Amino acid sequence: MKHVFLNLKRFDVLPERGGVNRLAEPARWGEVVISSIRDVADAHVDEAEFVAFMPEAQLIGALAAAGDSSLAVGCQGVYTADTAQGGNFGAFTTLRPANAMAQLGCGWVLIGHCEERESLRAVMGEAGVSGADVEAAANRILAREVVAAQAAGMRVLFCLGERASEQGNWDEVLSAQIAEGIADADPTRVVVAYEPVWSIGPGKTPADASYIQKVARLLKGCVPGVDVVYGGGLKADNARMLADIEEIDGGLIALTRFTGQIGFYPEEYAEIVRLYLGG
């Protein structure tokens, strides 16, 4: 079974505020997006598992729109601690406890995305922490998020990847990220997404099939049985290439259009899925 993940980041922001939302007014954006792609998941239910990760403000509408379809909805991260009977009953101002997300109906959570890792590095940098200590600390924090999510009953898409400065020891970096990040987790409820951070973005050279394959082999060697998807962007122009890599079990879609009016377009999502699954 393949996995097709969709990370909608903060794509609910309108163009006049610097965003890429051309689909619906912000209050209904999550509902409109999910309504427009749920049939894709249902059409391919025997081939792949489909999950869409939404900004928190959009979850209620998105979950209602998903209804009884095979499309699952998840949140973008959780806090390291949570509510508990006889313990903390809700003192998490500005934070996102996993029980709150599970209570809404989220079955999945995305943890460790390169943007989250960069935020953790920035916070530690403000405190004067640098080097290997930063990466080890980030891995420990993310590991606690994974445990909190699983304790609340959610499955985890755990992202990891090396930056340009880490390519020389990519295997050490990735081995540490996966070993430390899911050390205390149930690996049967984790899917790993590989993000080659050095190759993502305008003007950068995308990772090729042989590079992605060797990374997937490394990760599966670290955690036997774990599914590994490509988190560097499942797109129309790499869908067939990724489908041909035996060690890759799916992909993570974000933007579907990268030129002109950049953004997420449901009809292009359907085309990417068709290309990847070969339908």
Side-chain angles (χ1 to χ4, degrees):
M1 179 68 75
K2 297 292 188 179
H3 307 273
V4 178
F5 296 103
L6 173 62
N7 179 21
L8 288 158
K9 302 198 179 189
R10 285 264 39 144
F11 295 163
D12 53 342
V13 180
L14 295 167
E16 53 265 35
R17 290 186 176 272
V20 296
N21 169 21
R22 298 179 180 86
L23 291 175
E25 59 179 302
R28 294 188 60 244
W29 179 83
E31 171 195 347
V32 169
V33 170
I34 297 301
S35 296
S36 64
I37 66 172
R38 53 174 286 173
D39 289 347
V40 176
D42 289 341
H44 297 279
V45 67
D46 295 329
E47 303 165 82
E49 182 174 36
F50 291 81
V51 183
F53 295 102
M54 307 291 293
E56 185 173 350
Q58 303 296 341
L59 286 173
I60 293 176
L63 285 157
D68 59 358
S69 77
S70 58
L71 175 64
V73 175
C75 60
Q76 299 172 345
V78 293
Y79 187 51
T80 56
D82 208 345
T83 57
Q85 292 184 352
N88 191 331
F89 52 82
F92 296 107
T93 303
T94 80
L95 306 171
R96 189 184 299 116
N99 279 331
M101 298 298 96
Q103 179 178 261
L104 285 179
C106 290
W108 283 81
V109 57
L110 186 156
I111 292 174
H113 190 278
C114 63
E115 292 159 13
E116 180 183 12
R117 290 179 184 272
E118 200 56 36
S119 177
L120 290 173
R121 292 180 184 116
V123 169
M124 287 183 271
E126 288 293 323
V129 183
S130 62
D133 290 342
V134 169
E135 301 309 310
N139 289 340
R140 291 194 299 271
I141 291 169
L142 296 172
R144 292 199 288 272
E145 293 178 8
V146 172
V147 169
Q150 290 192 339
M154 289 189 283
R155 295 169 67 188
V156 175
L157 178 63
F158 185 72
C159 300
L160 48 73
E162 79 280 29
R163 297 169 293 172
S165 61
E166 298 167 325
Q167 273 193 277
N169 60 328
W170 65 273
D171 50 346
E172 296 174 17
V173 170
L174 298 180
S175 295
Q177 287 180 352
I178 192 169
E180 297 169 13
I182 62 174
D184 300 315
D186 174 359
T188 67
R189 293 195 291 140
V190 174
V191 174
V192 173
Y194 168 57
E195 299 180 283
V197 183
W198 55 270
S199 77
I200 301 171
K204 296 183 180 180
T205 303
D208 61 20
S210 62
Y211 195 97
I212 295 168
Q213 182 181 53
K214 76 174 183 179
V215 168
R217 286 176 175 172
L218 171 75
L219 297 173
K220 291 189 170 191
C222 292
V223 183
V226 74
D227 282 351
V228 176
V229 303
Y230 183 64
L234 172 57
K235 301 174 284 191
D237 59 5
N238 69 5
R240 291 310 307 157
M241 179 268 283
L242 292 171
D244 289 339
I245 303 175
E246 183 178 354
E247 292 83 357
I248 289 294
D249 303 299
L252 179 60
I253 301 170
L255 293 170
T256 55
R257 188 178 300 178
F258 297 84
T259 59
Q261 288 193 324
I262 294 170
F264 174 76
Y265 295 84
E267 67 277 11
E268 293 170 2
Y269 172 85
E271 176 64 7
I272 292 169
V273 170
R274 185 191 67 79
L275 288 169
Y276 179 69
L277 296 177

